[in-house]
C-alpha cells in the first residue's frame, strides 16, 4: 500500500513522516478504528518501555529469593513489600512479570526476524523461478502450515534443547521453534506477490534491458512484494508471545534462574489455583493478554485500514488513491490465531480453499 | 488473495486440459486430487517429525540414558533395532505407520496405537464440545456485530473477539477454574469425572472412551450430569479461543453479504431484519466459515494440549506432555504423527463439504 500511496501523492508530496507506515494509517483512520489503533500503540509502547527499563522498574531481580529481611517466603499474599505477592517458588511476582517482558520481546524479535529472512528468501526464489522447486516448497509449506503450530514448536524444542535450557539456549530454542511455524506464512504471502509481480510490465522491461535475475528479484520484485510484511509482522509478533507462553506452560520454558518467563510462571501456579491463591497466576496471565492485545489491536487496525471493504468510510478525497485490495487477512487478523493466517482465504468463496498448485493438476 | 495470485502460475497446458475435462465429472476429479494430496501431506509431516526427533539421538538413550548402565543400554538399543543405519529405520517406520503401527512406548511399554485409541477419544470429546461452544458463541455474536457495524455492539464484540484470541487457553482455563471451581464451587476443578462415576463407566461391557456416550450407556443421570459438569470449563476455555475467530469471520462475511442487491431486495419486500441477517445474509457467508473450520482443527488440537494440561483432562495432549517429561520420544513421535493424520483428513473432509455446498469451489 505504501508504494501506491507514494505514487498517487507524488504530485503533492506530503512530508515524509506522514508517509511512514504507522503514521500514515494513524492519519487515515477515523473514529473507532483510530481509537483501536491508538490504544494498541499505547499498550505496545508501554510493553516496549517496560522491557527496556526492566532493571530500573523491577523491585527485585527475577531470580532473587531473599531481600534484606531474609527469604521472601513462598505464596505470600500481595503486601507493601511484595506488591503482587510471591510465587510458590518464593520469587517476587511483580519483578517476574516485569522481567518477563524482556524475555518476551527478545524471543519475539529474534523469531520474527529469523522467519522474515527465511520466509522471504524462500518465497522469492520459489515464486520467481517456479518449476519443481516451487512445487515441492509449496507442498512442504502447506503441510507445515496445516500442522498445529504448538506441536511443531514442541518438536523443535525437543530437538534444539532436549527440553531443558539456560537463558541463551532457551531463547534461541523458543525463537527457532516459533520461526519454523512462521516461515510458511511469509513464504505464502511473498511467493504469491512474487508470482503476481513477475507478470508486471516493468519486470519484463527490466529483463529486456538485460538485468540479471538477482537484480530483478531484489530490486524490482522484492521491493514491491513487501507491502504486506508489516501486517504479518504484527500478527506474528503477538503469536510469538503466545507460543512462547504455551511452550513455557508445558515445560519448555527457560529455567527461572536464567530468565523470567510468563508461561513458566503460569505453569507453576497451576496448583496454587486449586487452593485459591490467585495472584501467582493472574498477573503473569494478564501480562500476556495485554501484550498480545496491544500488538493485535495495532495489527488488526493496520489490516482493516489496508482493506477498503473493512475500512470505516470517511469523506472522499482524503483516501483517494490508496484504495487497493491489499488486505493480507480478509476477515481480520484475528483469524490468524496460533493456527496461522486462517483468514487468508476467508472471503474468497469462489476459489480453492487451499490455494496451492496441485502437483496432480499440471499434466 | 493467495489464490488469485497463484492462478497465473498454472502452466498453460494444464489449463487447457482442465477446461476440456471440467464440464464432465468436475467434482469427482476435484475430490480425487484432494484425496491424493492427503498422502504427500502425511508423508511430509511424518518424515519431518521422524528426522527431527532422531537428530536428538536414539529414543532409548534419551529415555533411559541416566537410569541404566551402558552395557544394558546398548543391549536394549540393539534389541529395539536402533543401532541399524538410520535410513533403514526410517523406511521401516514409514512402513509401520502405513499399517497403523506407531511403535511401543519406552516408559510404559504399551503399543503407541493403544495409547492413541485410549486417549484419543478423550481429546475428540473435548474438541467436539469446544466446537459447540465456539459455534454457539461465535456465530450469533458475529451476526450481531455485522448488523450494528461500527456501532457500540460491534466495538464491544470486536474487543471481545480480540480478547478471546489474546488470552492463552491455559490462562482462560486458570481464571475459569478460580472463579467457578474454587470461589463459587459450582463446577469441578479438574479431571473428566469423579472416581465414583469413573468406576461405573469402566464396568461397562463396551466402553467407547467418550464419557458422554458411556454415561448414556449406564443410564444413570447422575453419572451423565457428573461427566457433563466436568466438561463445561475445559470446553469453555478451548471454545472461547475459537469463538473469537468465528465471530470475526462471520462478522466480515455477513458485512459483505449485507451490502448485496438481494439483501436490499429482500428488505424492500418487507422481510424482517432478524430474518434478513440470519437467513439472507448469513447463508451465503457460510462457505468461507466452513473452510476456516478445517484450519481451526489444527488450532483446536494445539489448544487441546494446553487445555488438557490445565484441567488434567486425560487426553492425547495430557499424555503428550507426560511422555515429554519422561523423554519417551517414541510415544511423542506417535502422537504427533497421529495428529498430523487427523489434520490432513479433516482438511480433506472440509474440502468435500465446501465442494458439495458451493459448486464454484471445484474449479
Amino acid at each position: 500500500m505504501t508504494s501506491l500511496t507514494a505514487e498517487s501523492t507524488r504530485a503533492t508530496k506530503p512530508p515524509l513522516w506522514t508517509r511512514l507506515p504507522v503514521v500514515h494509517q494513524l492519519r487515515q483512520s477515523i473514529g473507532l478504528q483510530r481509537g483501536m489503533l491508538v490504544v494498541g500503540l499505547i499498550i505496545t509502547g508501554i510493553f516496549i518501555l517496560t522491557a527496556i527499563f526492566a532493571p530500573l522498574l523491577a523491585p527485585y531481580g527475577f531470580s532473587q529469593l531473599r531481600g534484606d529481611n531474609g527469604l521472601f517466603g513462598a505464596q505470600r499474599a500481595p503486601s507493601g513489600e511484595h506488591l503482587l505477592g510471591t510465587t510458590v517458588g518464593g520469587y517476587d511476582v511483580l519483578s517476574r512479570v516485569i522481567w518477563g517482558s524482556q524475555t518476551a520481546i527478545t524471543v519475539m524479535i529474534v523469531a520474527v526476524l529469523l522467519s522474515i529472512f527465511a520466509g522471504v528468501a524462500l518465497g522469492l526464489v520459489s515464486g520467481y523461478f517456479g518449476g519443481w522447486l516451487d512445487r515441492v516448497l509449496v507442498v512442504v509449506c502447506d503441510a507445515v502450515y496445516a500442522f498445529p503450530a504448538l506441536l511443531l514448536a514442541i518438536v523443535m524444542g525437543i530437538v534444539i534443547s532436549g527440553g531443558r535450557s539456560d537463558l541463551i539456549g532457551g531463547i534461541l530454542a523458543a525463537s527457532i521453534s516459533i520461526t519454523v511455524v512462521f516461515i510458511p506464512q511469509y513464504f505464502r504471502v511473498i511467493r504469491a506477490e512474487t508470482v503476481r509481480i513477475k507478470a508486471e510490465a516493468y519486470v519484463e522491461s527490466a529483463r529486456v534491458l538485460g538485468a540479471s535475475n538477482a537484480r530483478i528479484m531484489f530490486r524490482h520484485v522484492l521491493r514491491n512484494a513487501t507491502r504486506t510484511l508489516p501486517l504479518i509482522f504484527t500478527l506474528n509478533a503477538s503469536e510469538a508471545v503466545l507460543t512462547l507462553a504455551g511452550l513455557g506452560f508445558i515445560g519448555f520454558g527457560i529455567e527461572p534462574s536464567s530468565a523470567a518467563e510468563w508461561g513458566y510462571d503460569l505453569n507453576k501456579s497451576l496448583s496454587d489455583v486449586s487452593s485459591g491463591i490467585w495472584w501467582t497466576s493472574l498477573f503473569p496471565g494478564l501480562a500476556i493478554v495485554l501484550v498480545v492485545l496491544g500488538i493485535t489491536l495495532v495489527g488488526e487496525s493496520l489490516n482493516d485500514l489496508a482493506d477498503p471493504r473493512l475500512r470505516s468510510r470517511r469523506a472522499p478525497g482524503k483516501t483517494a488513491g490508496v484504495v487497493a485490495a491489499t488486505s493480507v487477512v480478509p476477515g481480520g487478523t484475528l483469524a490468524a490465531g496460533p493456527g496461522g493466517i486462517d483468514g487468508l482465504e476467508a472471503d474468497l468463496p469462489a476459489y480453492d480453499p487451499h490455494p496451492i498448485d496441485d502437483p496432480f493438476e499440471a499434466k | 488473495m493467495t489464490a488469485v495470485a497463484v492462478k497465473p502460475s498454472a502452466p498453460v497446458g494444464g489449463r487447457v486440459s482442465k477446461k476440456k475435462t471440467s464440464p464432465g465429472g468436475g467434482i469427482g476429479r476435484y475430490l480425487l486430487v484432494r484425496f491424493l494430496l492427503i498422502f504427500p501431506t502425511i508423508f511430509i509431516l511424518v518424515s519431518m517429525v521422524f528426522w527431527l526427533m532422531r537428530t536428538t539421538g536414539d529414543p532409548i538413550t534419551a529415555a533411559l540414558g541416566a537410569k541404566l548402565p551402558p552395557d544394558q543400554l546398548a543391549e536394549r538399543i540393539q534389541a529395539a533395532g536402533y543401532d541399524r543405519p538410520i535410513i533403514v529405520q526410517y523406511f521401516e517406520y514409514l512402513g509401520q505407520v502405513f499399517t497403523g503401527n506407531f511403535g511401543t512406548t519406552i516408559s510404559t511399554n504399551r503399543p503407541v496405537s493403544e495409547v492413541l485409541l485410549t486417549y484419543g477419544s478423550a481429546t475428540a470429546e473435548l474438541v467436539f464440545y469446544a466446537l459447540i461452544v465456539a459455534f454457539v458463541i461465535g456465530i450469533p455474536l458475529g451476526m450481531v456485530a455485522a448488523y450494528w457495524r461500527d456501532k457500540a455492539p460491534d466495538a464491544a464484540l470486536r474487543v471481545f473477539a480480540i480478547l478471546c484470541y489474546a488470552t492463552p487457553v491455559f490462562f482462560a482455563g486458570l481464571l475459569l477454574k478460580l472463579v467457578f471451581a474454587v470461589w463459587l464451587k459450582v463446577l469441578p476443578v479438574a479431571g473428566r469425572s469423579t472416581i465414583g462415576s469413573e468406576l461405573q463407566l469402566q464396568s461397562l461391557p463396551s466402553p467407547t472412551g467418550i464419557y458422554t456416550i458411556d454415561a448414556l450407556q449406564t443410564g444413570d443421570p447422575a453419572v451423565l450430569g457428573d461427566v457433563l459438569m466436568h466438561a463445561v470449563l475445559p470446553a469453555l476455555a478451548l471454545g472461547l479461543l475459537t469463538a473469537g475467530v468465528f465471530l470475526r469471520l462471520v462478522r466480515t462475511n455477513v458485512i459483505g453479504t449485507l451490502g448485496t442487491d438481494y439483501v436490499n431486495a429482500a428488505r424492500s419486500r418487507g422481510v424482517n431484519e432478524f430474518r434478513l441477517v440470519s437467513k439472507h445474509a448469513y447463508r451465503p457467508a457460510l462457505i468461507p466459515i466452513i473452510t476456516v473450520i478445517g484450519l481451526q482443527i489444527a488450532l483446536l488440537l494445539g489448544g487441546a494440549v494446553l487445555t488438557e494440561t490445565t484441567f488434567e483432562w486425560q487426553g492425547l495432549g495430557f499424555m503428550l506432555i507426560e511422555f515429554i517429561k519422561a523423554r519417551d520420544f517414541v510415544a511423542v513421535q506417535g502422537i504427533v504423527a497421529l495428529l498430523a493424520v487427523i489434520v490432513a483428513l479433516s482438511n480433506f473432509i472440509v474440502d468435500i463439504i465446501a465442494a458439495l455446498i458451493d459448486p464454484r469451489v471445484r474449479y
Side-chain angles (χ1 to χ4, degrees):
Chain A
M1 192 171 84
T2 25
S3 68
L4 267 173
T5 321
E7 240 164 67
S8 60
T9 49
R10 192 154 290 155
T12 48
K13 267 275 180 196
L16 173 74
W17 67 271
T18 59
R19 282 182 281 141
L20 291 172
V22 175
V23 179
H24 168 80
Q25 270 92 353
L26 198 57
R27 286 165 58 86
Q28 188 194 9
S29 62
I30 53 154
L32 184 64
Q33 256 168 5
R34 174 173 270 181
M36 282 171 66
L37 183 55
V38 169
V39 171
L41 286 174
I42 291 174
I43 297 177
T44 313
I46 293 174
F47 165 56
I48 295 171
L49 288 177
T50 311
I52 295 173
F53 295 109
L56 301 175
L57 291 170
Y60 305 102
F62 53 79
S63 58
Q64 196 173 339
L65 285 169
R66 50 175 73 242
D68 300 334
N69 313 325
L71 284 173
F72 291 162
Q75 300 179 324
R76 291 279 168 80
S79 65
E81 203 179 335
H82 298 285
L83 287 176
L84 304 182
T86 61
T87 69
V88 66
Y91 300 111
D92 179 58
V93 174
L94 177 63
S95 306
R96 286 196 58 89
V97 168
I98 292 175
W99 283 102
S101 62
Q102 218 168 43
T103 314
I105 209 165
T106 317
V107 169
M108 206 171 88
I109 292 172
V110 175
V112 172
L113 282 183
L114 281 178
S115 39
I116 285 185
F117 277 115
V120 167
L122 284 175
L124 204 59
V125 169
S126 183
Y128 187 79
F129 291 111
W132 65 268
L133 178 74
D134 181 42
R135 288 182 187 286
V136 170
L137 279 175
V138 165
V139 173
V140 169
C141 276
D142 253 51
V144 174
Y145 180 71
F147 199 60
L150 185 70
L151 288 182
L152 196 60
I154 290 174
V155 173
M156 287 311 292
I158 294 178
V159 171
I160 296 165
S161 63
R164 45 185 113 100
S165 31
D166 55 358
L167 177 62
I168 308 281
I171 286 183
L172 265 185
S175 309
I176 295 175
S177 314
I178 298 167
T179 298
V180 175
V181 178
F182 286 169
I183 287 176
Q185 301 180 8
Y186 289 95
F187 171 82
R188 283 164 68 128
V189 172
I190 293 293
R191 179 187 169 278
E193 284 281 282
T194 305
V195 167
R196 181 183 65 82
I197 292 166
K198 204 171 69 174
E200 296 274 339
Y202 57 81
V203 173
E204 283 294 308
S205 17
R207 189 170 291 132
V208 171
L209 284 171
S212 67
N213 277 333
R215 188 182 160 85
I216 296 175
M217 249 160 62
F218 289 105
R219 196 167 172 81
H220 300 276
V221 179
L222 182 61
R223 288 214 177 167
N224 289 298
T226 52
R227 59 177 188 178
T228 50
L229 281 188
L231 296 186
I232 315 178
F233 179 89
T234 53
L235 298 186
N236 284 355
S238 56
E239 213 183 312
V241 174
L242 285 175
T243 312
L244 173 69
L247 281 175
F249 183 74
I250 52 174
F252 283 86
I254 300 156
E255 292 297 317
S257 50
S258 355
E261 203 273 301
W262 297 327
Y264 176 91
D265 288 352
L266 277 171
N267 176 276
K268 292 294 155 201
S269 75
L270 203 52
S271 50
D272 296 352
V273 167
S274 312
S275 44
I277 294 169
W278 49 272
W279 58 89
T280 50
S281 53
L282 184 68
F283 299 111
L286 278 184
I288 300 173
V289 173
L290 271 180
V291 169
V292 177
L293 178 72
I295 302 172
T296 310
L297 278 175
V298 175
E300 172 116 337
S301 311
L302 292 185
N303 180 68
D304 283 8
L305 288 167
D307 188 338
R309 287 162 305 178
L310 296 172
R311 184 167 51 221
S312 302
R313 299 166 200 86
R314 66 183 299 177
K318 289 188 181 174
T319 53
V322 286
V323 178
T326 53
S327 177
V328 188
V329 186
T333 54
L334 207 83
I341 316 182
D342 303 334
L344 217 50
E345 297 90 21
D347 59 359
L348 295 170
Y351 294 105
D352 178 5
H354 298 277
I356 54 166
D357 290 327
D358 291 333
F360 307 94
E361 195 64 28
K363 292 212 178 87
Chain B
M1 188 178 79
T2 329
V4 187
V6 166
K7 294 261 151 173
S9 73
V12 183
R15 242 187 205 177
V16 173
S17 69
K18 196 170 22 178
K19 251 177 199 160
K20 270 183 209 157
T21 54
S22 60
I27 187 155
R29 187 168 179 281
Y30 170 81
L31 291 183
L32 183 70
V33 169
R34 283 281 153 235
F35 179 71
L36 291 176
L37 262 179
I38 293 178
F39 295 103
T41 308
I42 294 176
F43 168 74
I44 288 165
L45 289 175
V46 168
S47 310
M48 213 170 66
V49 172
F50 178 89
W51 288 106
L52 283 175
M53 299 293 285
R54 269 324 147 79
T55 55
T56 58
D58 74 274
I60 302 233
T61 312
L64 308 169
K67 291 174 201 154
L68 292 178
D71 53 325
Q72 282 190 35
L73 208 61
E75 209 172 283
R76 297 219 22 191
I77 290 175
Q78 204 184 1
Y82 289 123
D83 56 343
R84 291 171 298 158
I86 193 153
I87 191 85
V88 176
Q89 295 180 39
Y90 170 64
F91 282 112
E92 193 188 75
Y93 183 70
L94 277 187
Q96 285 176 350
V97 167
F98 195 73
T99 55
N101 174 6
F102 290 89
T104 309
T105 67
I106 296 168
S107 50
T108 54
N109 205 17
R110 290 168 68 188
V112 176
S113 46
E114 190 190 304
V115 174
L116 297 177
L117 272 178
T118 317
Y119 297 102
S121 48
T123 303
E125 194 176 10
L126 176 64
V127 169
F128 176 74
Y129 282 129
L131 265 180
I132 292 182
V133 170
F135 281 132
V136 168
I137 296 178
I139 291 177
L141 290 186
M143 288 192 234
V144 169
Y147 187 73
W148 281 287
R149 182 190 175 183
D150 293 335
K151 303 275 172 8
D154 183 29
L157 285 173
R158 289 184 73 181
V159 173
F160 169 74
I162 297 174
L163 273 178
C164 283
Y165 163 69
T167 312
V169 202
F170 45 92
F171 182 52
L174 284 171
L175 287 183
L176 288 170
K177 246 178 156 176
L178 200 59
V179 174
F180 293 101
V182 178
W183 288 344
L184 300 178
K185 293 194 170 47
V186 287
L187 290 167
V189 177
R192 291 180 68 194
S193 69
T194 55
I195 296 167
S197 319
E198 190 112 14
L199 287 175
Q200 255 189 294
L201 293 176
Q202 272 164 4
S203 61
L204 281 173
S206 58
T208 56
I210 297 170
Y211 276 17
T212 315
I213 296 178
D214 289 350
L216 284 173
Q217 280 188 36
T218 62
D220 185 347
V223 174
L224 182 65
D226 180 53
V227 165
L228 289 179
M229 290 277 266
H230 276 84
V232 173
L233 290 184
L236 260 182
L238 186 54
L240 277 176
L241 171 76
T242 324
V245 178
F246 285 165
L247 196 163
R248 288 284 320 171
L249 199 66
V250 171
R251 175 184 176 272
T252 315
N253 286 294
V254 170
I255 283 178
T257 47
L258 268 178
T260 52
D261 289 341
Y262 61 84
V263 170
N264 283 334
R267 182 176 278 138
S268 61
R269 284 203 312 273
V271 174
N272 73 48
E273 294 289 303
F274 176 76
R275 207 184 147 76
L276 206 63
V277 176
S278 62
K279 289 268 186 295
H280 297 255
Y282 174 62
R283 282 279 170 83
L286 255 180
I287 294 139
I289 295 166
I290 288 170
T291 55
V292 170
I293 291 172
L295 292 160
Q296 290 310 311
I297 299 285
L299 177 66
L300 275 169
L301 287 176
V305 174
L306 297 169
T307 316
E308 287 176 5
T309 310
T310 315
F311 287 98
E312 290 157 45
W313 184 276
Q314 304 223 346
L316 279 185
F318 183 83
M319 291 315 288
L320 181 70
I321 307 301
E322 292 294 307
F323 284 129
I324 288 174
K325 280 185 197 152
R327 309 180 65 70
D328 184 342
F329 293 156
V330 174
V332 172
Q333 193 176 312
I335 293 178
V336 172
L338 175 82
L339 293 177
V341 174
I342 292 177
V343 168
L345 281 179
S346 58
N347 282 346
F348 171 63
I349 293 168
V350 164
D351 283 344
I352 297 177
I353 298 173
L356 290 178
I357 293 179
D358 186 356
R360 286 174 303 175
V361 172
R362 336 157 198 153
Y363 29 96

